[in-house]
Amino acid sequence: MIDVILKKGKEKAVIQRHPWVFSGAVEVVKGKPANGDIVRLKNAKGEFMAYGFYNHQSRVALRLLEWNEGIAVDDNWFRNKVKVAVNSRAELLSSGQTNTCRLIFSEADYLPGLIVDKYANHLAVQVLTSGIEKVMPVIIDELQNLLNPESIFDKSDASSRQHEGLETTNTVLSGTTPPESVEVLENGILYNVNIAEGQKSGFYCDQRDNRRILANYTKGKTVLDCFSYTGGFTLNSLLNGAAAVTSVDSSALAIETLKENIKLNKLDSTKHNAIQSDVNKQLRVFKDNGDKFDVIVLDPPKYAPSRSALDRASRAYKDLNRLAMLLLNEGGLLATFSCSGAMDMESFKQVLAWAALDAGKQVQFIYQFCQPEDHPIRSSFPEGEYLKGLLCRVF
Ligand code: SAH
C-alpha cells in the first residue's frame, strides 16, 4: 500500500476524524497510486493516521475511511458499512407507512461518495468517487444479499463525477430495468417515481418528515406549494383537509407526475390547481392579481452550491421570501427551506429577517425544520448538514 505524507500542521482535522484531506495538505505521495486506490496516510513524523481513497484529480485528494491501523479496509470492511447503514433504517421502514428512503448517505454513513436510495423494491445508486467506483461489485453484491432488490439503477450525478475524472453513467447495475413508474409509499401516501428520468435519484425523500409536520397546519387553509416537484407538500396538505392547494413547478414532467399522484391517492382534484411556471414569475402574477394564501411553501433548488456563491444566493433567497410574504393573509404561514449546505440556520434566519423588513412585515419563527434520520449528520463531518427550513408566522 502506498504511503501519503501529510504536511506538518495539518493533522488536527484528521485526528478529529474529518473524512477529507485537501490536496494542499499533502506533503508527498510515495509512489503512483491510481485514482480510487486505498492509501495509508501518515503524519510528518511517519506515524500512521488513517486509510483512505486517493484521487489525484480531485480537490479532495484523500477521503478517509478507517483510523484504526489494525483494521484492514477490505471487502468485508465495505460489506459491514453497507450492512450497518441499511440496518439503521429499519425503524424508519418498520411502520409499513413508508417504503422509500435513503439507505446510504455517503460520508455520513462512512462510505464517501456512495448514495443509495430505496424506492419500494428498486434501488437508485449514485457513485461519486473513484474509490467507491472500484468497490462497486462488492457493494452491489452486499445490497443484493441484504435486500434482494428487483433492480439497482445507477443515477450518478455528472458534475460531481467529473471532479473525480469519472465518466457519466445512467445504467442498470443489476436486475431488470426499473419500470418507468415505480409506485412508492411515504407517510401512507402513494407516489409514482420515475427513477431514470426524474430529478436527483427520482424523489426528494429528505422532505418526508417536514411534509407531514407542515400538513398539520393546513386543514381548511388555502395552500400555495412553490417548487412542488411531484407534490410532496401538496399531497400531504390535501390529505390533511386543506381547502385548496395550488402547486407551481417549472418542470413539465414533475407537474404531470403530480397530477397522476393526486389520482393515485384518490384525492379531490377540484381542490387542486397545478401551474407549470417559473416561481419568481408566478409569484409576481399572483401579486398583480391580488391573490392571497393562508400557507405558502418555498422549497427551491440549491441556490448556493458553494460558500463563494453565498452572497448571491442570499439575495435570491431574500427576494423569493419577500415576494411570498406579500402574498400571505394576515397571520399566515410561510414554510421556507434552503438545501444549500453553505447557508447555515443562523444566516437563513438573517435572510428571512431582511425579507420581512423589505416586505414591511413582522415574522415569528415558530418551528425549525431539518433533514431526517436517513440523512444523518456525522459529528466529524458538519458539511453533511444541508437541509434546513423555518416555519414563519407572518404579520
Ligand atoms: N418540494 C418538492 C421538492 C422540490 S425540488 C418535494 O416535496 O418533492 C425543487 C423543484 O424546483 C424541482 O421540482 C424543480 O423542477 C423546481 N424548480 C427549479 N427552479 C424553478 C423555478 N425557477 N421555478 C419553478 N420551479 C423550479
Side-chain angles (χ1 to χ4, degrees), residues 186 191 199-200 203-208 211 225-234 248-252 254-255 275-281 297-303 337 339:
E186 181 197 84
Y191 294 83
Q199 294 176 23
K200 242 175 145 190
F203 187 59
Y204 294 89
C205 62
D206 54 1
Q207 288 286 27
R208 175 191 322 107
R211 291 168 179 146
D225 180 9
C226 297
F227 309 95
S228 63
Y229 193 50
T230 56
F233 288 99
T234 295
V248 183
D249 200 285
S250 56
S251 153
I255 292 285
I275 303 174
Q276 189 202 332
S277 175
D278 178 277
V279 164
N280 294 284
K281 269 195 210 144
V297 180
L298 293 178
D299 186 19
K302 186 161 41 176
Y303 283 174
F337 295 90
C339 59

Side-chain angles (χ1 to χ4, degrees), residues 38-212:
I38 294 173
V39 295
R40 189 190 289 116
L41 181 68
K42 292 184 168 175
N43 63 15
K45 288 188 228 154
E47 295 158 345
F48 173 85
M49 297 202 80
Y51 298 114
F53 288 138
Y54 179 77
N55 189 306
H56 76 270
Q57 263 161 287
S58 171
R59 211 166 52 94
V60 184
L62 268 78
R63 295 181 189 262
L64 302 179
L65 301 161
E66 179 57 63
W67 281 256
N68 185 333
E69 189 173 14
I71 297 179
V73 184
D74 53 14
D75 288 0
N76 277 334
W77 188 95
F78 286 101
R79 285 183 190 278
N80 187 46
K81 290 289 185 255
V82 169
K83 198 187 293 171
V84 168
V86 168
N87 289 343
S88 71
R89 273 65 174 179
E91 288 87 2
L92 166 59
L93 296 167
S94 68
S95 68
Q97 294 295 296
T98 294
N99 67 9
T100 179
C101 72
R102 178 147 293 181
L103 292 173
I104 299 178
F105 184 37
S106 205
E107 278 86 353
D109 281 305
Y110 311 98
L111 291 164
L114 177 66
I115 290 175
V116 179
D117 290 327
K118 171 180 163 70
Y119 294 107
N121 277 330
H122 300 269
L123 301 181
V125 171
Q126 296 183 59
V127 180
L128 308 174
T129 57
S130 51
I132 289 292
E133 177 105 324
K134 280 201 171 161
V135 293
M136 270 318 274
V138 176
I139 285 167
I140 292 170
D141 189 59
E142 190 59 29
L143 287 170
Q144 276 166 334
N145 289 344
L146 293 168
L147 299 158
N148 192 24
E150 278 172 51
S151 74
I152 305 181
F153 192 77
D154 187 339
K155 191 72 203 292
S156 299
D157 170 65
S159 70
S160 317
R161 283 177 65 88
Q162 251 172 22
H163 295 307
E164 291 262 324
L166 297 167
E167 308 278 304
T168 309
T169 59
N170 217 332
T171 50
V172 178
L173 295 174
S174 130
T176 56
T177 307
E180 206 178 292
S181 184
V182 174
E183 197 175 289
V184 303
L185 190 66
E186 181 197 84
N187 300 338
I189 299 177
L190 293 166
Y191 294 83
N192 276 331
V193 175
N194 185 331
I195 296 176
E197 302 291 325
Q199 294 176 23
K200 242 175 145 190
S201 82
F203 187 59
Y204 294 89
C205 62
D206 54 1
Q207 288 286 27
R208 175 191 322 107
D209 294 347
N210 301 333
R211 291 168 179 146
R212 188 173 37 72

Side-chain angles (χ1 to χ4, degrees), residues 11-25:
E11 297 88 353
K12 196 169 160 204
V14 177
I15 292 167
Q16 290 174 347
R17 305 210 165 194
H18 194 285
W20 290 351
V21 177
F22 289 98
S23 52

Side-chain angles (χ1 to χ4, degrees), residues 332-373:
L333 293 176
L334 174 64
T336 181
F337 295 90
S338 161
C339 59
S340 305
M343 164 86 68
D344 63 21
M345 184 55 108
E346 286 318 301
S347 319
F348 196 46
K349 283 182 183 161
Q350 187 62 60
V351 164
L352 268 293
W354 289 333
L357 214 56
D358 271 18
K361 301 280 181 187
Q362 300 239 56
V363 161
Q364 293 172 328
F365 301 132
I366 63 171
Y367 186 80
Q368 301 193 9
F369 298 103
C370 60
Q371 63 204 63
E373 66 187 275

